[in-house]
Amino acid sequence: MKKILAMLAFAAAMFVSCGEKTDDEGEGGGGGSYKAPITIDGDFADWAALDASKVQVMKCASSATKADMKLAKVYADKNFIFVYIEMDYSAYDGEVTMAHIDFCIDGDADTATGGYNGQWDQGVTPCIDVLIEGSIIEDSAVCEAFDPFVGTWGGEVNADGWTWTEIEGLTGFIEGKGNKKAWEFRITRELYPAGKMAKEFNMGILCTVNGWDATGALPNAEVTETNIDGRAPLLKINYNK
């Protein structure tokens, strides 16, 4: 484990050493000139400049039972996964003292690894292998940055439960910035802590407001007699060249 953490720390240091360029005109992980399309600064105007055909949009179903996230957008390329999230606190009359965002990632797109069913329809092979969980609101105040727990699945393959092995010292893996109702994030592919991340992989997003039980989940689906929880499969993240 110490060897793995040392390698991750080294990779993070190398990436950060030239990472200041990746927001503007730096070299991408695949070589050649790379300009990141989104800057993580809490100003969301650059999302409007993206090619809409390359942005995946998840909207909360009208009958969803967990509806505190109303919208998410995802854009992924060779270096990063960018995510934009909008929250809905209308059920709380403005009394929001804490809120967290969880990214649940099946990074290898392999049902033979991972676990944790979460709030999605994963059949009999739940396969999430990385959890990212961090605050966006604490003590009624918006967090200055996203400083999450990052863990790899530590339970039996395809089992449910809440069994994660924390990965420490993972500088630069995810960054986030926002306000009370909207946040944007950047996940770095090179620093994925559970092996090589597939070009196209699967992901779900949870939020918890004023507690630790999930109060929002995307993707979701309309509630029906046969789907009383409004569960949907994880979102397959597209790869943009």
Side-chain angles (χ1 to χ4, degrees), residues 15-16 19-24 34 36-40 47 75 77 79-84 103 132 146 172-177 183-189:
F15 198 86
V16 169
E20 293 180 357
K21 294 183 179 180
T22 60
D23 276 343
D24 298 303
Y34 175 83
I38 299 294
T39 300
I40 305 303
W47 283 88
Y75 176 88
D77 62 19
N79 292 314
F80 304 112
I81 300 94
F82 299 96
V83 184
Y84 168 83
F103 295 96
I132 305 168
F146 193 64
F173 173 49
I174 182 167
E175 297 180 16
K177 188 75 174 177
W183 273 70
E184 60 184 355
F185 303 87
R186 182 182 69 188
I187 298 170
T188 302
R189 285 183 180 270

Side-chain angles (χ1 to χ4, degrees), residues 32 34 42-43 45 56 59 62 74 90 124 130 137 141 174-175 180-181 204 221:
Y34 175 83
D43 181 346
Q56 295 174 267
K59 294 182 179 180
S62 60
V74 182
S90 57
V124 297
V130 166
I137 295 175
I174 182 167
E175 297 180 16
K180 189 172 184 180
K181 293 188 177 181

Side-chain angles (χ1 to χ4, degrees), residues 134-169:
S135 301
I136 58 173
I137 295 175
E138 285 286 355
D139 298 323
S140 302
V142 176
C143 296
E144 289 294 324
F146 193 64
D147 183 22
F149 165 94
V150 177
T152 54
W153 176 246
E156 295 183 7
V157 174
N158 301 142
D160 200 6
W162 192 255
T163 308
W164 306 100
T165 301
E166 185 173 6
I167 303 297
E168 298 179 342

Side-chain angles (χ1 to χ4, degrees), residues 61-73:
S62 60
S63 60
T65 58
K66 300 181 185 300
D68 286 353
M69 266 191 299
K70 64 178 182 178
L71 175 71
K73 298 179 181 180

Side-chain angles (χ1 to χ4, degrees), residues 72-219:
K73 298 179 181 180
V74 182
Y75 176 88
D77 62 19
K78 64 181 180 179
N79 292 314
F80 304 112
I81 300 94
F82 299 96
V83 184
Y84 168 83
I85 292 173
E86 289 183 9
M87 302 293 292
D88 181 358
Y89 302 119
S90 57
Y92 301 91
D93 296 323
E95 296 296 324
V96 177
T97 58
M98 60 184 290
H100 304 88
I101 296 293
D102 291 21
F103 295 96
C104 300
I105 304 175
D106 166 26
D108 58 7
D110 186 354
T111 58
T113 64
Y116 180 58
N117 205 45
Q119 302 298 318
W120 301 283
D121 179 6
Q122 298 188 68
V124 297
T125 56
C127 52
I128 291 166
D129 45 43
V130 166
L131 168 73
I132 305 168
E133 180 180 83
S135 301
I136 58 173
I137 295 175
E138 285 286 355
D139 298 323
S140 302
V142 176
C143 296
E144 289 294 324
F146 193 64
D147 183 22
F149 165 94
V150 177
T152 54
W153 176 246
E156 295 183 7
V157 174
N158 301 142
D160 200 6
W162 192 255
T163 308
W164 306 100
T165 301
E166 185 173 6
I167 303 297
E168 298 179 342
L170 200 53
T171 304
F173 173 49
I174 182 167
E175 297 180 16
K177 188 75 174 177
N179 54 48
K180 189 172 184 180
K181 293 188 177 181
W183 273 70
E184 60 184 355
F185 303 87
R186 182 182 69 188
I187 298 170
T188 302
R189 285 183 180 270
E190 282 192 7
L191 300 180
Y192 190 66
K196 184 177 177 60
M197 178 176 272
K199 285 185 176 181
E200 296 192 335
F201 60 95
N202 304 300
M203 183 172 74
I205 310 171
L206 297 177
C207 72
T208 59
V209 177
N210 289 354
W212 289 101
D213 293 330
T215 60
L218 289 174

